[in-house]
Amino acid sequence: AFNDMASGLRVRQELIDEQRIENERLLLTLMPAAVAKRYRDGEETIAEDHQDVSVVYAELVGFDDHARSLTSEQELAQLNMLVRGFDEAAERAGVENVRALRGGYLASSGLIVPRVDNVRRAVDFAREMSGVITRFNSQNGSSLALRAGVDSGTVTSGLVGRASLAYDL
């Protein structure tokens, strides 16, 4: 009986450890590691100011109209195709993805990794996003557009919300 109990405890501990690792992985997809550590340590208000950062916000134009003729699965697959294209473009440009939304994409350059060329990287990224849209349109017979803006300077980042936690700029 003792051996069975010890074995059961060991299995439970392994499951808890696996869940802890998965929770950490998910947390790091939502926010930078330094912010995640502060959040785990119990800080309630986490805000940081950053100098010399460029922020890109891009909005998909026309996706709702395009999606009306699609099934739910097709809509999500095509949205994923776009977001993955944006993620790849961000990686190539050395830009950090902050958050992807159904109709938009928020990214920064110089926030996590300081860069002297953050403005150029942000503009290059916005141009690459436009290329992702062009390729998507040609592959899917759609006419989506991209409205993007770049702003540079001092940025405040932090966690917003409680029930639905979001890292925002």
Side-chain angles (χ1 to χ4, degrees):
F2 179 78
N3 287 340
D4 288 344
M5 183 179 70
S7 176
L9 288 174
R10 188 173 31 259
V11 168
R12 285 187 188 103
Q13 185 61 48
E14 288 172 1
L15 290 172
I16 290 170
D17 291 343
E18 287 175 16
Q19 187 63 52
R20 187 176 294 123
I21 290 168
E22 179 64 11
N23 289 347
E24 180 68 16
R25 187 189 68 74
L26 289 172
L27 194 60
L28 293 175
T29 65
L30 298 173
M31 63 191 76
V35 175
K37 181 183 181 326
R38 291 174 63 185
Y39 177 71
R40 278 191 314 275
D41 290 345
E43 284 189 51
E44 296 227 356
T45 303
I46 300 174
E48 297 178 322
D49 289 331
H50 310 270
Q51 306 298 318
D52 299 320
V53 175
S54 292
V55 175
V56 178
Y57 180 75
E59 180 181 6
L60 282 173
V61 178
F63 189 78
D64 288 336
D65 292 335
H66 171 71
R68 281 194 184 99
S69 64
L70 303 175
T71 67
S72 298
E73 290 80 14
Q74 290 170 327
E75 177 182 358
L76 191 57
Q78 289 193 5
L79 187 59
N80 277 332
M81 183 186 313
L82 285 166
V83 171
R84 287 179 183 134
F86 296 158
D87 287 344
E88 290 168 5
E91 190 173 324
R92 282 191 303 274
V95 170
E96 302 110 7
N97 170 9
V98 175
R99 189 176 43 185
L101 304 168
R102 183 178 187 283
Y105 196 95
L106 179 65
S108 66
S109 179
L111 183 77
I112 307 296
V113 177
R115 300 186 183 276
V116 294
D117 61 345
N118 64 66
V119 175
R120 181 191 56 78
R121 288 175 183 266
V123 171
D124 288 348
F125 170 61
R127 286 182 177 153
E128 280 208 47
M129 290 180 82
S130 182
V132 169
I133 295 293
T134 300
R135 285 187 298 281
F136 179 87
N137 285 338
S138 67
Q139 291 171 352
N140 295 284
S142 57
S143 58
L144 301 183
L146 187 75
R147 186 177 13 237
V150 176
D151 195 8
S152 297
T154 301
V155 171
T156 301
S157 69
L159 296 181
V160 178
R162 172 164 273 184
S164 180
L165 193 62
Y167 179 72
D168 206 359
L169 306 180

